[in-house]
Amino acid sequence: MVTRASGMKLFLIILPSLFQAVTNSLRIHPRLDGHTCPLGQFPCGNLSVCLPQLLHCNGVKDCDNGADEENCVDNSGWLQILGGMLSTKSSKARKEEETTDCMLDLFPEQCQCWAKNIDCTGQGLHTVPLVSSNVTKLDLKNNKIYLLVDNQFVAYKNLEKLLLQHNKIQSISTHAFAGLSGLKMLFLSHNKITQLRPRVFRDLHHLEWLMLDNNHIAKIVPAAFVGLKSLYFLYMLNNSLTKLPNASICAETPKLSWLELEGNKIHALRSSVFQECGTFTVLILRRNKIRWIQEGTFSKLNGLVELDLSSNRLEELLPSLFTGLHDLQQLNISYNPLKQIFADQFDSLPHLRSLSIEGLEIPNIQNRMFQKLTNLSHIYFKKFQYCSFSPHVRSCKPNTDGISSFENLLANIILRVFVWVIACITCFGNLFVICMRSFIITENSQHTMAIKSLCCADCLMGIYLFFIGAFDLKYSGEYNKHAQVWMASIQCQLVGSLAMLSSEVSVLLLTYMTLEKYFCIVFPFSHYKTGRKQTISMLVIIWLLGLSLTLVPFWCKESFGNYYGRNGVCFPLQSDVTEKPGARGYSTGIYLGLNLVAFIIIVFAYTSMFYSVHTTAAKAVERSVFSMEVAIAKRFFFIVFTDALCWIPIFLLKLFSLLQVEIPGTITSWVVIFILPINSALNPILYTITTTSFQEKVKLCLQTKQQSLQEAPGSQKSFTLVSIHTSTA
């Protein structure tokens, strides 16, 4: 907080120069050879070196001169820097003043005095105390003053600073500030003021700062600011204003430069309210309830540098809303329920340096929106993917969506490594099972066909991961440059469809095999056995159904949009407000419809199987056969259990996204790389490699071959397939 008049004057004097200096430093300079850097790259200061966007403002000095890490705060940062400078100076000045003897004759005993300053902070005062008339600063904050009566300060013509914040002031009489013609700073923050009487500030001709924040002011009455001809800073944060005056707010404050109205309840802005405010540099209107802004509201604010309309209820912005704001350098329209942004919305802002559109879904986003903002150096989006539409901007946030980053398709190094590990385990494990079951003849060939079919489906998940890993390597170091092209490409669509085909066929096959075992165990005497033709027909139907579910989004682009290309890993898991209704309904039907029903059927079937085992085991005639079926059921139970562990998180993720719960992209990436394919990687181990019968028969097969070779050394014998009289391995 500035505590000396000299500090305030310094602030007012250097403010325009500081703005100009800071914004000039953010200007994009050409290289020394006379050529500008390529699109998406920026210079290292005055060096003839260009670095890509991702290396600027990343916390690492990549330029030899460190220029890539300079000026990495946007235009709002200069205020904090300046505030720190002034507070440091005022602290030094205060220490010097405190060493000066008191020059006042009259002041309360419990208060402190130095030079011509009186500090009565937190003394429990209920009224304004009587002090010497030549006082220049009177600090009465944190007391219990509840009323300011007429002519309360009339004798203090030399008073420059009056601090009354954190009291209990409810009412201010019309002539309370009479006689304070030299007052420059008035602090009335954190009180209980409900209204400002007309002409209450009429004698404050030299007042520069008026702090009225955190009160209960519901209305600005006509003539409320009469007399404030020198007012520069008006701070009305967190009041209860529902509307602004119909007349211009600057008619009585011709020098007003900074207006802070954050945290009120303003519903609309009329064009007349800022018509005479040509001196405005900062206008803060965030956290109101603004639904409507009349055309021409900001057209006269020629000198405005910062405009904040964030966290309101704006559903649309007029195409000409920002016309006339030629000098605007910082614009914030974040967190509004905007339905669209026009392609030429920002064309009238040639000097814009910082643009914040966080929290906004922009379904019609395109490069054209930001093309004419040649001086833009900082931009803030809701989604990382939007950054690819502004490659000429030096700093774009967020840097990642949790899945991808500026540099890589897979943002996390763990994901980039394990996508290959899991892909290898998945593919090679399932291929091993397919090969072994092809060489080992089983009595239950229908069961073997189903397992081999499941392995094929699981292999597709491994192939999907191989493709994701390959494209991650392809775009390594410059993914953001290719992000939109990749997600819209046919390659991404096909890769995503592989994952969808794998997961859906796997779920359907597990359901089919579970029901088959259910009938064998729950109805053991029905002699229910599926024939070879029935099994082949069912497997063909399952694959055709899975393929149909995968290809439907390709058939109707208008209803589904870019169904598979909503993220870098091309898997349609999360929903958001920009997703087309057809795509949202379709994915919901698959994940929370078909897959959830299949999961419930599997749980019900295994519950019934174990109940049947418990109640009918003693009655079984062919106990060895029945025991064999029980062993199979137990083995498949662990398979289904691992699938449940994988699918329950996916069910929850889909449900939360439909409820519009904000889900970090990091969760989605870990689900797609680890949780979704993990059952595909484990299934070969669970239903083949770790089974005792399979291990025994493989061992027997090897022993038989070794024995044959020992009996007839040097002779060539064909490998005899071993018949395994079991339904599992």
Side-chain angles (χ1 to χ4, degrees), residues 140-167:
L140 298 172
K141 62 177 177 285
N142 293 315
N143 283 286
K144 299 179 181 179
I145 301 170
Y146 64 91
L147 178 65
L148 297 180
V149 299
D150 286 342
N151 302 314
Q152 187 93 67
F153 307 98
V154 70
Y156 310 134
K157 299 187 181 300
N158 296 321
L159 189 64
E160 295 181 355
K161 301 174 186 177
L162 177 58
L163 286 70
L164 289 162
Q165 63 265 43
H166 292 283
N167 277 276

Side-chain angles (χ1 to χ4, degrees), residues 578-592:
T578 61
E579 188 178 28
K580 289 185 176 292
R584 186 183 300 112
Y586 187 71
S587 60
T588 302
I590 289 178
Y591 294 111
L592 297 181

Side-chain angles (χ1 to χ4, degrees), residues 171 176 179 235 464 470 473 487 574 664 684 726:
S171 178
Y235 199 65
Y464 160 77
L473 289 178
M487 289 187 289
Q574 283 186 248
T726 181

Side-chain angles (χ1 to χ4, degrees), residues 279-548:
T279 58
F280 266 19
T281 56
V282 177
L283 177 59
I284 308 297
L285 291 160
R286 65 173 165 260
R287 288 198 304 113
N288 278 274
K289 298 181 179 180
I290 301 172
R291 294 179 179 273
W292 174 73
I293 301 177
Q294 189 174 10
E295 187 172 2
T297 298
F298 306 125
S299 60
K300 302 297 183 181
L301 304 182
N302 301 323
L304 195 66
V305 174
E306 178 181 353
L307 175 61
D308 193 337
L309 294 167
S310 61
S311 300
N312 279 283
R313 299 181 181 179
L314 293 167
E315 294 185 359
E316 64 176 352
L317 299 177
L318 296 174
S320 60
L321 182 63
F322 303 123
T323 300
L325 302 180
H326 303 294
D327 293 332
L328 193 69
Q329 297 180 19
Q330 183 168 335
L331 175 63
N332 190 345
I333 56 174
S334 303
Y335 303 106
N336 280 285
L338 291 172
K339 296 179 180 178
Q340 69 168 340
I341 296 178
F342 293 103
D344 59 349
Q345 190 80 66
F346 309 116
D347 284 4
S348 59
L349 307 175
H351 296 104
L352 196 66
R353 307 288 182 185
S354 174
L355 175 61
S356 181
I357 44 182
E358 295 177 274
L360 300 185
E361 296 285 355
I362 315 175
N364 64 325
I365 190 169
Q366 51 187 282
N367 294 74
R368 169 67 181 84
M369 289 182 179
F370 317 106
Q371 206 167 42
K372 294 192 175 182
L373 301 179
T374 55
N375 292 310
L376 194 65
S377 59
H378 295 76
I379 192 165
Y380 305 87
F381 290 113
K382 176 182 180 180
K383 293 183 177 181
F384 153 77
Q385 288 85 356
Y386 292 161
C387 285
S388 61
F389 291 101
S390 56
H392 65 288
V393 181
R394 180 171 181 254
S395 175
C396 181
K397 305 294 180 183
N399 291 328
T400 176
D401 60 354
I403 299 175
S404 306
S405 65
F406 275 92
E407 299 95 332
N408 299 295
L409 190 154
L410 295 174
N412 193 301
I413 183 63
I414 297 176
L415 297 178
R416 295 202 296 275
V417 171
F418 273 86
V419 69
W420 292 100
V421 173
I422 296 177
C424 289
I425 293 173
T426 302
C427 281
F428 296 147
N430 283 284
L431 287 174
F432 174 76
V433 171
I434 293 172
C435 292
M436 292 303 296
R437 286 197 174 269
S438 298
F439 282 107
I440 298 176
I441 299 175
T442 64
E443 188 176 81
N444 192 343
S445 60
Q446 291 81 14
H447 170 69
T448 299
M449 281 192 295
I451 288 182
K452 287 162 67 174
S453 184
L454 182 60
C455 287
C456 291
D458 289 339
C459 262
L460 292 180
M461 184 61 71
I463 295 172
Y464 160 77
L465 294 176
F466 272 126
F467 274 116
I468 293 298
F471 280 103
D472 176 60
L473 289 178
K474 178 180 179 180
Y475 298 132
S476 179
E478 53 178 15
Y479 173 69
N480 188 51
K481 185 177 178 181
H482 308 280
Q484 292 300 322
V485 175
W486 158 244
M487 289 187 289
S489 67
I490 188 63
Q491 294 96 321
C492 182
Q493 314 298 311
L494 294 176
V495 167
S497 64
L498 277 180
M500 175 69 79
L501 179 62
S502 172
S503 62
E504 292 312 302
V505 171
S506 180
V507 169
L508 293 172
L509 283 171
L510 284 171
T511 306
Y512 164 69
M513 290 189 292
T514 300
L515 289 175
E516 185 183 26
K517 293 304 164 188
Y518 168 78
F519 287 113
C520 289
I521 293 177
V522 176
F523 307 104
F525 308 113
S526 64
H527 302 290
Y528 170 81
K529 293 291 181 181
T530 55
R532 181 179 178 84
K533 290 184 178 180
Q534 287 178 307
T535 300
I536 293 175
S537 299
M538 187 57 66
L539 294 180
V540 170
I541 290 172
I542 288 174
W543 276 95
L544 289 177
L545 179 57
L547 189 62
S548 299

Side-chain angles (χ1 to χ4, degrees), residues 99-118:
T99 59
T100 305
D101 294 335
C102 181
M103 302 171 63
L104 304 176
D105 298 327
L106 180 62
F107 60 90
E109 293 182 0
Q110 65 268 40
C111 300
Q112 296 180 352
C113 173
W114 66 92
K116 296 181 180 181
N117 304 324
I118 295 176

